Each structure stands twice: as structure tokens, then as C-alpha cells.
Amino acid sequence: MASVMNDGARALGRGGLGAVMGSKNLKAVVVRGRNRVSVSRPEKLSFVLNESRRWIKGNPVTAVGLPRFGTAVLVNLMNELGVFPANNFQYSRFPEAESISGEALEERYLVKRRSCWGCPIGCGRVTRAGGLEGEGPEYETLWALGAQCGVGDLEKVVLANYLCNDLGLDTISAGSVIGCCMELSQRGLVEGGPRFGDADAVLGLLEDMALGRGLGKELAQGARRFARHRGAGEYAMQVKGLELPAYDPRGLQGQGLSFATSNRGGCHLRAYLVGPEVLGIPKMVDRHSTMDKPGLTIFAQNLNASVDSLVLCRFLQFALSDEYFARMLEAVTGVPYKAADLHRIGERIWNLERLYNLRCGMDPAEDTLPLRLLREPASEGPAAGRVVLLEEMLPLYYRARGWDERGIPEPQKLASLGLAP
Ligand code: SF4
């Protein structure tokens, strides 16, 4: 769960890339340059960017929600919908959500807003707490170091976020494994372990994890290894070893499928089905229905893989359609691209990643979710009584991907993508 940190407080935070750098004794990468990036059709690019800015300024998420509250704008909304997990996903709502919300953060700790270079959205925020100043916390962090650990003390959550940035810890995984440990303590499986709601224990354990001390050394192995080692693997809320982010998929069927099939495990960035299932982007769908979710998941996974390879911020997708990304790429390279080309490129990337995972020994049976989300119905809120209906969706997903019933890409699919061995 070691992040690669950049620009002070920005983290390439998931999957432990910092640990990979560390294993190679690579301390830092410095990039500097004075040349301009040459663009094939500058006039066309400037036209597309002007149009894009208009869409961004006309979209409520990119024009109001993100600039005003940052990603933390999601806390109250997700809690209201009953998809804001608390206490290691034992609950789908957190009673103290209001006190760790974007609104509370703005009122008590915001110093100023911040934007990445040239970005018209500006979702970043500089905060001050406990005599310290830093960036964030983001929505995921407010959840992981807050609700996931039963902590409603916003100041302590802000400080825990600063600490993670200083130590280079992925806040989602760090908070999630502590929440897992708290549940094991609650069940008597970790003697003298931390209890839900103990903010000081969270701060202490973050440092212990980074420095390899005591219980922290065990936790630094991640929730899957930690819980298995304690004979309670089912309480690790993870997929393929990566801890899940801040959405309870029992109230978001499509997001559940996309977590289960994500190539890098429990990640919301491979396919953000919260877009159509909650925000109505690109269109509103019934979040409790499994209908069309395999197709929507594949659409999002392919497009995201493509847009990621363009090195564009994911938040642009709230306002811009696939067609705009194709037009930008065409203007920069001079090579004609259509939206369908981006989806095909993304499909190639997705299949290549799948082949890589399989070759590295991943068992397709890992396309699943923690048992709790499949068997224990949500106990409260609008999703009460529901579990993720993965068994309904997964076979359809495999078929639509052109994979066999075990989840292995069929030779004809690979040939059609130019990936045949
Ligand atoms: S580029 Fe993305 S992350 Fe950076 S300020 Fe803009 S919207 Fe936020």
C-alpha cells in the first residue's frame, strides 16, 4: 500500500507502486523540460478545448459540485443512498457522516481551493488542522480513515490524511485494513486490538504500518493477508488483494460487477458505475437492477482504459463524451480517430491486462466479492435486504467480453483484437 507521491500531496495511490519503486531502490523520478509539445492541428485542438470547457462549465458535477466541495461532496449523498459503508462494511450508512462531510470540511478547515495546472474544474483543496496545513482529504479518504473505522472526528481524519501523505500510504488500503482489524478485535480475534471509533488508534497504527512496528507490521501486508493469517479471510473487504473503496455495492449492482471484474482488484477507477447508477452520467439507470450492467461495465472499462492511456483526468468524463476524447487525440496526433476506435483500443488494453494477470497466476475465480456483499443483505437504508447478484451478471459479462465460461479470452476474440499469440 505504498504510494508514489508527487507534487507534495498527490498520490499514485493504489496497488503499491511505491513498494515496487522501493524494491528497486528507486527513490524518485524528476522530470524537467522547456520544449513545447508539438501538436499536429493546433486550431482544431483549440476549437475542441473551447467546446470542452463549455461542457465542463455547464455540467453540475464539474461546474458546481467538484469546484465547491471537491470529491468530498459525495459523503452526504452516498450516505443518504445507503451505499456509504461503515465499520468494515457491517453497515451501509454511517450515523456521523454529516460530521465528516465535504460541507463540514469546507466550514471548519478549508484554507483555499487548488487546481492542477490548467484545469478549469479545480477540485483540490488546501486545509489547515491541528496547526498543520496540507491537501485533502478526498472523499475516499474521509471514508477510509473515517466511516470505515467508525471515526466521526473530522480533525483526526484530516490529520490522519496528512500523516498518510507524509508516510506515502494509500489512504484507502490503510484505512480499510485498520477497519478490518477493528472488526477482528470486535470478534475477539485480535487480542487488545483497536476498537471502532478510536481515532488515536488509527493515527498510531498508520505510523506503525509505515515503520513496520508491532501490529502495524502485520497490517502493512494488506487486509487479505492480515485477515487470512488470523483465520478470518472473509472479513477482509478486498478483491484480488486490493482493498475496496467507499461504495457499498449492495446498493449498486453494476459497481459490484465492476469491482469483481476489475483487473487490478477492488478499484472504482477501472469502471465508475456510480456515474450511471447515481449521478445519471451518461444516463440514469436503476442501481438495484442487474439489467444491462455487464454491457455498461464493459463500456466503462474499455473507455477508461483508453482515456487513462491519454493521461487525462478521470473527472473530465463527468462532462465529456467519448467523442470529445477521440477529437482531442485526432487534433494532437493528426491521425483520424472516432469514439469507436477508443473503445477498441480500450478493449485491447483490457484483454492484454487480463492475459498478463492469467500468466502471472491469477485464478479467474478471483472475479468475485467478499462473501459479506454476496450473502449478508444490507441491513438499513434504501438498499436494505439486498446483496450483490454477481452470479446473474458474471456469466453474461464473460460472454459479452468474448471469454469462455471460466473467464479466459477466446482465441477468436484475441485474434480480432490483434492479440493472437
Ligand atoms: S485535473 Fe482533475 S484532479 Fe486536478 S484539479 Fe482538475 S479535476 Fe481535480
Side-chain angles (χ1 to χ4, degrees):
M1 64 182 77
S3 301
V4 177
M5 300 303 297
N6 66 88
D7 287 350
R10 296 300 175 97
L12 284 87
R14 308 244 54 206
L17 277 178
V20 176
M21 277 178 61
S23 74
K24 297 175 188 297
N25 287 330
L26 175 60
K27 179 76 176 170
V29 177
V30 178
V31 181
R32 195 171 65 164
R34 290 194 185 84
N35 291 341
R36 291 186 70 80
V37 176
S38 65
V39 169
S40 173
R41 297 180 194 170
E43 278 167 22
K44 184 169 180 177
L45 183 63
S46 140
F47 182 75
V48 178
L49 293 182
N50 274 335
E51 261 190 273
S52 302
R53 271 189 211 103
R54 276 212 289 275
W55 281 107
I56 289 167
K57 290 297 173 200
N59 180 286
V61 177
T62 49
V64 184
L66 285 173
R68 169 105 197 256
F69 297 112
T71 53
V73 70
L74 291 174
V75 172
N76 280 333
L77 174 63
M78 295 302 153
N79 197 53
E80 201 54 38
L81 295 172
V83 294
F84 191 63
N87 294 27
N88 202 34
F89 288 73
Q90 292 184 83
Y91 313 109
S92 309
R93 276 178 159 173
F94 183 48
E96 294 172 80
E98 183 73 47
S99 61
I100 58 165
S101 65
E103 290 82 345
L105 189 71
E106 184 193 41
E107 197 183 304
R108 294 170 55 195
Y109 301 108
L110 184 70
V111 175
K112 61 180 175 186
R113 297 181 171 82
R114 178 168 283 174
S115 174
C116 299
W117 186 82
C119 173
I121 301 173
C123 73
R125 35 239 45 239
V126 176
T127 50
R128 190 179 296 130
L132 301 172
E133 195 169 294
E135 267 197 71
E138 301 289 335
Y139 166 70
E140 297 293 338
T141 305
L142 289 163
W143 166 78
L145 301 171
Q148 163 71 356
C149 299
V151 172
D153 179 338
L154 183 54
E155 177 151 328
K156 293 276 172 63
V157 175
V158 175
L159 293 174
N161 171 60
Y162 295 163
L163 189 58
C164 283
N165 285 344
D166 282 350
L167 297 170
L169 286 173
D170 170 6
T171 57
I172 299 179
S173 287
S176 184
V177 69
I178 294 174
C180 171
C181 181
M182 286 173 164
E183 181 167 0
L184 265 55
S185 306
Q186 172 193 315
R187 294 179 183 279
L189 297 169
V190 178
E191 209 180 313
R195 296 285 162 172
F196 283 113
D198 187 345
D200 291 322
V202 173
L203 286 162
L205 283 169
L206 291 174
E207 234 176 281
D208 290 346
M209 278 196 275
L211 301 176
R213 293 189 303 224
L215 183 59
K217 190 171 181 181
E218 239 186 288
L219 296 180
Q221 299 298 310
R224 181 166 72 174
R225 280 194 195 161
F226 169 72
R228 280 185 185 168
H229 182 66
R230 297 278 173 160
E234 69 273 27
Y235 297 119
M237 303 310 291
Q238 54 80 32
V239 173
K240 301 184 179 87
L242 187 66
E243 291 77 9
L244 286 167
Y247 305 93
D248 190 328
R250 288 172 289 196
L252 301 160
Q253 293 293 329
Q255 193 59 54
L257 177 65
S258 76
F259 284 153
T261 56
S262 157
N263 277 342
R264 72 169 178 181
C267 171
H268 57 298
L269 296 172
R270 307 297 88 179
Y272 192 62
L273 270 283
V274 174
E277 292 188 317
V278 172
L279 305 171
I281 298 172
K283 60 172 183 174
M284 187 59 94
V285 299
D286 180 356
R287 65 193 174 104
H288 298 305
S289 165
T290 57
M291 177 107 83
D292 293 340
K293 297 301 166 68
L296 271 174
T297 299
I298 291 170
F299 180 93
Q301 288 173 338
N302 291 351
L303 181 61
N304 288 3
S306 206
V307 173
D308 279 349
S309 71
L310 293 175
V311 203
L312 283 172
C313 175
R314 177 55 50 77
F315 295 153
L316 292 176
Q317 284 174 263
F318 288 129
L320 302 180
S321 70
D322 44 10
E323 193 202 326
Y324 276 84
F325 300 116
R327 288 167 66 191
M328 286 176 197
L329 185 56
E330 181 171 325
V332 171
T333 61
V335 179
Y337 282 100
K338 296 272 175 256
D341 297 321
L342 288 191
H343 285 274
R344 186 178 149 79
I345 290 166
E347 190 182 11
R348 270 172 61 88
I349 294 170
W350 197 265
N351 276 273
L352 203 52
E353 289 176 352
R354 181 73 172 181
L355 294 176
Y356 179 82
N357 277 350
L358 291 168
R359 186 195 275 187
C360 290
M362 188 204 79
D363 183 345
E366 290 186 58
D367 290 338
T368 189
L369 293 168
L371 220 49
R372 165 167 288 157
L373 305 176
L374 301 173
R375 300 276 162 77
E376 275 179 36
S379 58
E380 57 192 323
R386 296 179 190 275
V387 293
V388 183
L389 302 172
L390 188 62
E391 279 172 22
E392 264 181 36
M393 297 183 281
L394 194 59
L396 298 174
Y397 172 89
Y398 284 164
R399 205 173 310 146
R401 273 251 172 247
W403 299 353
D404 69 17
E405 68 283 355
R406 294 165 305 151
I408 313 283
E410 297 276 15
Q412 56 271 39
K413 168 52 72 180
L414 297 180
S416 77
L417 294 170
L419 293 173

